[in-house]
Each structure stands twice: as structure tokens, then as C-alpha cells.
């Protein structure tokens, strides 16, 4: 049984295997059929491909033939193109040549047109010139005929001129004599209006005999008269009267005045030679001549004979000082000598020192710096022939003037001199008016003083000196010596000198400095003497 079962199992297995094989066989058959169909299709396609390859080969052969034909055509086309290019280049060259020929022909045509126009213009001008020449010839013919007529008339006039030649010569001689007379009269008039002066080492100088002068002009005129040693009469008119000076060799020898307060009687009264009663007795003689006034003074016993000459000298000197210190004056020069009613007397001082003193008196203190052009003005020396020693300058003033070098300012020179501002300014102004120095005002003034420290010190000092004693003004104790006073003066006068504030725009600042400077000067004068200082200190203690 077991074997039978096993055989059955084997049979079953074989049956299953057979079924599987049958199934596989069927599948293989199906696959084989499919393969066969595919192979048939493939064979058909191979046939088609072979057919197509044959067609392609034919097409390739045709293409090769076409390519060969195209190459031949291209080669033929290139040859034809090259030939055409050569033809185009030849045509372009021909066109260029033709264009140049056309342009050249155009230029030639333009030139011909211009030449034709010039020829036309030349022809017109030639025709005009010919016409003008014909007209000129006609005019010349007419002019020639008129010239012949004028020549005939000129011959007649020449005959008449020959007749009148003697008359013309006579008239010319008369005119020459008249011209000579006129020249002499002109010279005479010039001599009347101009006075010749001969300055040493220079050519003759002509000075107008009359005119108007300011203070500088008066100074210049007097200097010229003195340097030339003139002998003349000089009238100087001002508001209120006229003063007349007579000069001999530049020296004043007589002077009279029409001013009421400048008579010889007034001079005697001011000199203490007359009292009020005696002056009243002589009041009617104020308008009399100098000689009559002197005779009356001597005749009534009011003055001694020995007092007469000095009195007349002082009167003449004062008249001269007043005349030379006028701001503006009318002058007249003449050759008239001293008349008989005027007493000639030589003034003790020379004319130039008198002039210098008159100039010192002429300008007020507050106008001195302005007349100099300000503290920043720069003085420089001139080639003046005047001698400073003969002009009344002190030694310190002359020394100050020697420092004038064209660089130091008025402020520098004044401060260095150690003189009072007024004295230094007056000396510089007199030197300027006399022509010894000249002043140049700078275009750009110096900057003002330090507005911080120096001004505060000035303001404080100004307030301090208002009610202070002399010791406090100088900043000294009561037991200070004269040397202490001098040292304090030197220090403080330099620090508060008005010139240090002359450039400041505040004018009141310089005025306060002048007040302080004046009180410092006053305190120094009071304390520099030992006796006065001790008395003043004891008075303060009391």
C-alpha cells in the first residue's frame, strides 16, 4: 500500500509536472508564434530597408552628381564674380576720373565767370576813367582860361603892390616900434606886480607884490625876505586894521599899526610906564603918528629919554609878532622907505626868531596835533637853509628835531624828547611852518592802544586823581624823597602820556589822559623841591 501510495504520489507528481509542461509548451507555442510573426515582420522590414537603402544609394549618387555640378557652377560663378569685380573697379575708376573731370570743368567755369566779371568791372572802370578824364580835360581847359585871366589880374595887382610896398615897410617899422613899447610896458607891469629876490646860491626868485596868505604862506614869505636880505616895506592886513613893517637886509627896522590897542601909548600903559590918569590924558593922541605920541610922552614928562628907544623897540616887536601870527592876511610889498612920521628903530631880536615866536602863539593847544596831521604823522627833514640855533628853539627842542629821520612818528619823537606834549607839538609845528621839516600822514594808521589793560588803568587813574593829594597822585608815601618823585614822574608820565591814546576812536580817552598828565606834572612840580614837599606834607598832616 505504501508503495502504491507512493506510486500514486509519484503519478500525481508526474501528472502535475506534465500539466506544467503542457502549460509551458503552450506558452512556448504562443511565444514561438509571436516570434514567427515578429520574424515575418522583420523580414518585411528588412526588405523595406533594403529597398530604402537602394533608394538612398541612388539618392546619394544623385547628390554626389548634384554636388559635383554645384562645385562646377560655384567655380564658374566665382570666375564670373571676379570678372564682374574687375569690371566694377574699372567702372568706379572711370566714374572717379569722370567726376574729377566734371569738378575741374566746374572750377574752370567758375574761374571763367570770375574773370568775365573782373573784365566787365575793369571795362566799366575804364569807361568811367575815360569819361572822368574827358571831364577833367574840360575842367582843365576852363581852369587854364581862368588862370590866364588871373595872371593878367595878378600882373595888374603886382604893379599895385609895388606901388604900396614902401607904405607897407613904413607900417612894419611902426608896428615894430609899437611892439617894443608894449614889451617895455609889460616888463614894467611885471616889475610892479613882482618883486625879484636873490636867495643865496640860487637864481633870482620873483615874489608877487600883493596877495593873500595863510599862516604857512606868511612864514614862507618872511623866510624868503630874510634869506634874500630884502630892503622893502611889507603891509599885512587883517580883520580890524593893517600892520606895516619895514625891513632892511631882512631885519625889521620899523613897525606901525592901525589897530586901536597897538599904539605906542597902549604899549607904555601895558609896560607900566603910564597910569590910568596919564593914559586918559593921551587918549586923543591914539590916532597920531608914533613920532607925535613919543613927543607927547616925553614932553609931558611921562617917560624919560632913556626909556624912549626901548619903548619904541618893544612896540615895534609886538606889532611884528601880532602881524606874523595871523591865520590869514592880505599882504603888499613895495620899495617905499621909512617915512618921516615913523620912528626907525632896530628891533633887538632878529626877524626869524620873532617869526618862530609868532608861529608858536598862533595855534591853540587843542589844534596842535591836528595841524601836525595826528600822532601817526611821520616828520622828515628838508634841505632848508635855516639855522635851528637862530630860530629860538631850546636845546631839547633842537635835539628832538635831530631825531626826525622819516621813520619815527610825531608820537615817537615827542615821547623820546621828554618835553611836555604842548611844547613838543609847538616845536614840531613851527619847524613845519618854517619849512625845516615836512610831515607825511600814513595811509594805514597804527592800531589803537590796548582796549583792555591800558584803558582800564587810565580810567582808574582818572577817577583816583580827582580828589587826591599830590602824594597819592604820584603813588608815593608822605616821606618820599625828591628822587622818588622823579622816578614816579618818569614812570607815570610815560604810561599816561596823551599821545599813547591819540589813535583811539574815542576822543574823550585822550582828553582824560591830558587831565591825568597835567595833574602828574603839577604834583611833580610841587613835590620835587625838598622844602615845598616837607611843607605840603606837614599841611596834610595838620
Amino acid at each position: 500500500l505504501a508503495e502504491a501510495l507512493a506510486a500514486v504520489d509519484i503519478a500525481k507528481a508526474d501528472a502535475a509536472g506534465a500539466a506544467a509542461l503542457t502549460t509551458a509548451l503552450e506558452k512556448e507555442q504562443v511565444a514561438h508564434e509571436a516570434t514567427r510573426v515578429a520574424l515575418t515582420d522583420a523580414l518585411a522590414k528588412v526588405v523595406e530597408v533594403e529597398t530604402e537603402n537602394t533608394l538612398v544609394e541612388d539618392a546619394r549618387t544623385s547628390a554626389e552628381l548634384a554636388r559635383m555640378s554645384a562645385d562646377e557652377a560655384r567655380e564658374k560663378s566665382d570666375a564670373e564674380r571676379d570678372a564682374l569685380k574687375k569690371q566694377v573697379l574699372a567702372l568706379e575708376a572711370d566714374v572717379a576720373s569722370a567726376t574729377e573731370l566734371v569738378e575741374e570743368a566746374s572750377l574752370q567755369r567758375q574761374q571763367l565767370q570770375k574773370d568775365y566779371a573782373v573784365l566787365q568791372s575793369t571795362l566799366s572802370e575804364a569807361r568811367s576813367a575815360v569819361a572822368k578824364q574827358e571831364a577833367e580835360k574840360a575842367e582843365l581847359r576852363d581852369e587854364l582860361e581862368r588862370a590866364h585871366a588871373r595872371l593878367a589880374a595878378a600882373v595888374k595887382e603886382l604893379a599895385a603892390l609895388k606901388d604900396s610896398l614902401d607904405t607897407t615897410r613904413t607900417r612894419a617899422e611902426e608896428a615894430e616900434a609899437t611892439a617894443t613899447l608894449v614889451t617895455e610896458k609889460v616888463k614894467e607891469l611885471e616889475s610892479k606886480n613882482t618883486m625879484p629876490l636873490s636867495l643865496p646860491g640860487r637864481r633870482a626868485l620873483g615874489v608877487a607884490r600883493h596877495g593873500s596868505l595863510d599862516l604857512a604862506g606868511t612864514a614862507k614869505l618872511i623866510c624868503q625876505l630874510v634869506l634874500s636880505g630884502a630892503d622893502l616895506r611889507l603891509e599885512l592886513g587883517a580883520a580890524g586894521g593893517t600892520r606895516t613893517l619895514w625891513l632892511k637886509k631882512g631885519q625889521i627896522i620899523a613897525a606901525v599899526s592901525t589897530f586901536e590897542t597897538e599904539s605906542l601909548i597902549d604899549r607904555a600903559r601895558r609896560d607900566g610906564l603910564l597910569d590910568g590918569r596919564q593914559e586918559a590924558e593921551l587918549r586923543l593922541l591914539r590916532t597920531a603918528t608914533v613920532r607925535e605920541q613919543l613927543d607927547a610922552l616925553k614932553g609931558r614928562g611921562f617917560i624919560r629919554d632913556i626909556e624912549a628907544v626901548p619903548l619904541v623897540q618893544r612896540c615895534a616887536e609886538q606889532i611884528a609878532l601880532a602881524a606874523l601870527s595871523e591865520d590869514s592876511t592880505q599882504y603888499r610889498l613895495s620899495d617905499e622907505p621909512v617915512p618921516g612920521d615913523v620912528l626907525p628903530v632896530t628891533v633887538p631880536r632878529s626877524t626869524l626868531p620873532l617869526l618862530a615866536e609868532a608861529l608858536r602863539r598862533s595855534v591853540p593847544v587843542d589844534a596842535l596835533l591836528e595841524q601836525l596831521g595826528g600822532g601817526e604823522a611821520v616828520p622828515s627833514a628838508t634841505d632848508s637853509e635855516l639855522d635851528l640855533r637862530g630860530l629860538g628853539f631850546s636845546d631839547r627842542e633842537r635835539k628832538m628835531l635831530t631825531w626826525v629821520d622819516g621813520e619815527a612818528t610825531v608820537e615817537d619823537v615827542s615821547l623820546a624828547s621828554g618835553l611836555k606834549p604842548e611844547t613838543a607839538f609847538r616845536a614840531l609845528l613851527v619847524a613845519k611852518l618854517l619849512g625845516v621839516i615836512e610831515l607825511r600822514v600814513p595811509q594805514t594808521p597804527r592800531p589803537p592802544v590796548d582796549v583792555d589793560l591800558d584803558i582800564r588803568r587810565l580810567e582808574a587813574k582818572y577817577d583816583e586823581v580827582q580828589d587826591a593829594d599830590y602824594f597819592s597822585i604820584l603813588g608815593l608815601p608822605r616821606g618820599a624823597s625828591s628822587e622818588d618823585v622823579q622816578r614816579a614822574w618818569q614812570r607815570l608820565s610815560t604810561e599816561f602820556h596823551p599821545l599813547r591814546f591819540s589813535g583811539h576812536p574815542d576822543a574823550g580817552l585822550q582828553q582824560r589822559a591830558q587831565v591825568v598828565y597835567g595833574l602828574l606834572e603839577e604834583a611833580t612840580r610841587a613835590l620835587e623841591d625838598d622844602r615845598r614837599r616837607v611843607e605840603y606834607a606837614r599841611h596834610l598832616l595838620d
Side-chain angles (χ1 to χ4, degrees):
L1 179 59
E3 291 176 1
L5 289 173
V8 172
D9 290 332
I10 293 168
K12 288 181 179 180
D14 290 337
L21 289 173
T22 301
T23 303
L25 181 61
E26 291 176 356
K27 289 181 179 180
E28 285 292 335
Q29 291 176 349
V30 174
H32 178 70
E33 185 65 25
T35 301
R36 187 181 63 78
V37 172
L39 183 58
T40 301
D41 293 336
L43 289 174
K45 288 183 179 180
V46 168
V47 173
E48 290 178 0
V49 168
E50 289 177 352
T51 303
E52 289 177 357
N53 286 337
T54 302
L55 293 175
V56 168
E57 187 66 25
D58 294 339
R60 184 179 294 114
T61 302
S62 299
E64 183 66 23
L65 294 174
R67 183 179 63 76
M68 293 174 62
S69 299
D71 290 339
E72 293 176 357
R74 184 168 59 254
E75 291 176 356
K76 184 178 181 180
S77 176
D78 291 340
E80 292 177 352
R81 185 174 65 247
D82 293 339
L84 288 174
K85 285 183 178 178
K86 292 179 180 179
Q87 292 177 0
V88 168
L89 292 174
L91 288 173
E92 288 178 351
D94 293 340
V95 170
S97 300
T99 302
E100 291 178 357
L101 292 174
V102 169
E103 291 178 352
E104 184 177 357
S106 178
L107 293 174
Q108 290 178 354
R109 184 180 59 193
Q110 293 177 0
Q111 184 62 38
L112 289 174
Q113 290 176 349
K114 291 181 180 178
D115 294 342
Y116 179 75
V118 171
L119 289 174
Q120 288 291 107
S121 177
T122 304
L123 181 60
S124 298
E125 292 177 356
R127 289 173 178 172
S128 300
V130 170
K132 185 176 181 181
Q133 288 176 358
E134 293 295 332
E136 289 178 353
K137 287 180 180 179
E139 290 179 359
L140 288 173
R141 292 191 191 96
D142 295 340
E143 183 65 26
L144 182 60
E145 293 176 358
R146 289 194 294 270
H148 284 300
R150 287 197 298 269
L151 180 59
V155 171
K156 294 180 180 179
E157 290 179 1
L158 182 60
L161 287 173
K162 288 180 180 179
D163 295 336
S164 63
L165 180 60
D166 294 336
T167 304
T168 304
R169 288 176 179 173
T170 304
R171 291 178 180 176
E173 292 174 357
E174 293 176 354
E176 185 177 355
T178 303
T180 303
L181 182 60
V182 170
T183 303
E184 292 176 356
K185 288 184 178 180
V186 169
K187 290 181 179 179
E188 183 180 355
L189 289 174
E190 288 179 350
S191 63
K192 290 182 179 180
N193 294 325
T194 304
M195 176 170 287
L197 297 178
S198 298
L199 299 179
R202 301 183 186 179
R203 63 182 179 84
L205 175 68
V207 178
R209 288 183 176 269
H210 57 83
S212 300
L213 296 173
D214 56 8
L215 192 62
T218 302
K220 180 179 179 180
L221 175 63
I222 297 301
C223 289
Q224 291 174 341
L225 297 178
V226 173
L227 292 176
S228 63
D231 297 338
L232 49 78
R233 174 186 178 184
L234 172 61
E235 294 181 23
L236 296 170
T242 301
R243 302 177 181 94
T244 305
L245 309 178
W246 283 269
L247 280 73
K248 184 174 183 180
K249 295 182 179 181
Q251 176 68 18
I252 298 175
I253 60 171
V256 294
S257 172
T258 61
F259 285 82
E260 294 181 358
T261 59
E262 294 179 358
S263 66
L264 189 66
I265 295 173
D266 292 303
R267 183 73 262 167
R269 176 69 171 123
R270 283 193 292 271
D271 291 345
L273 300 178
L274 297 177
D275 55 26
R277 179 185 59 79
Q278 294 170 337
E279 181 184 13
E281 291 181 15
L282 299 173
R283 65 181 182 274
L284 297 178
L285 293 174
R286 288 180 181 275
T287 58
T289 65
V290 177
R291 186 179 297 278
E292 291 172 345
Q293 293 182 25
L294 183 61
D295 292 341
L297 289 171
K298 292 166 59 177
R300 299 191 185 192
F302 293 161
I303 64 172
R304 303 182 183 91
D305 290 340
I306 197 173
E307 296 172 335
V309 173
L311 175 62
V312 175
Q313 288 176 333
R314 291 194 301 273
C315 182
E317 184 175 287
Q318 292 304 311
I319 291 173
L321 286 172
L324 301 180
S325 61
E326 292 286 352
D327 291 337
S328 60
T329 183
Q330 301 289 329
Y331 79 96
R332 182 179 298 277
L333 299 174
S334 65
D335 299 320
E336 299 176 12
V338 181
D341 57 350
V342 176
L343 292 174
V345 60
T346 301
V347 176
R349 283 193 288 177
S350 300
T351 305
L352 289 180
L354 278 177
L355 174 62
E357 182 178 344
L359 297 176
R360 288 177 185 270
R361 296 181 179 184
S362 60
V363 181
V365 177
D366 55 355
L368 288 173
L369 196 58
E370 180 183 356
Q371 292 288 335
L372 290 171
E376 300 302 322
V378 179
S380 57
T382 65
D383 57 351
S384 174
E385 300 175 358
L386 300 179
D387 185 3
L388 294 178
R389 290 172 297 181
L391 294 175
F393 289 105
S394 66
D395 293 340
R396 295 178 70 181
E397 289 173 344
R398 291 199 303 273
K399 186 176 181 181
M400 177 186 68
L401 293 175
T402 60
W403 295 336
V404 170
D405 57 2
E407 296 181 1
T409 64
V410 168
E411 177 181 346
D412 298 334
V413 173
S414 176
L415 288 174
S417 69
L419 296 169
K420 299 178 183 178
E422 176 185 348
T423 304
F425 294 163
R426 285 196 185 280
L428 290 171
L429 182 58
V430 170
K432 172 191 173 184
L433 294 174
L434 291 175
V436 176
I437 64 172
E438 57 186 8
L439 291 161
R440 172 175 53 85
V441 180
Q443 297 295 328
T444 56
R446 291 182 180 178
V449 296
D450 188 348
V451 294
D452 295 327
L453 182 60
D454 290 344
I455 294 179
R456 287 201 303 271
R457 288 179 178 176
L458 175 61
E459 298 291 355
K461 192 65 176 178
Y462 179 78
D463 294 337
E464 177 187 355
V465 300
Q466 297 302 313
D467 299 319
D469 59 71
Y470 290 151
F471 288 102
S472 299
I473 290 174
L474 294 174
L476 297 173
R478 304 291 171 84
S481 64
S482 58
E483 290 80 5
D484 296 331
V485 172
Q486 288 299 323
R487 283 195 293 270
W489 159 251
Q490 293 174 0
R491 177 177 58 83
L492 295 173
S493 63
T494 301
E495 181 177 0
F496 298 107
H497 199 290
L499 277 177
R500 296 190 67 244
F501 304 90
S502 61
H504 198 277
D506 183 6
L509 201 63
Q510 188 177 10
Q511 293 177 355
R512 290 190 287 275
Q514 289 175 345
V515 172
V516 171
Y517 189 88
L519 290 174
L520 289 171
E521 190 176 32
E522 180 181 335
T524 301
R525 286 199 303 269
L527 300 182
E528 63 184 354
D529 182 79
D530 292 339
R531 183 182 59 82
R532 291 199 302 270
R533 185 175 64 258
V534 172
E535 288 292 331
Y536 183 75
R538 184 168 60 250
H539 173 73
L540 291 178
L541 293 175
D542 295 340

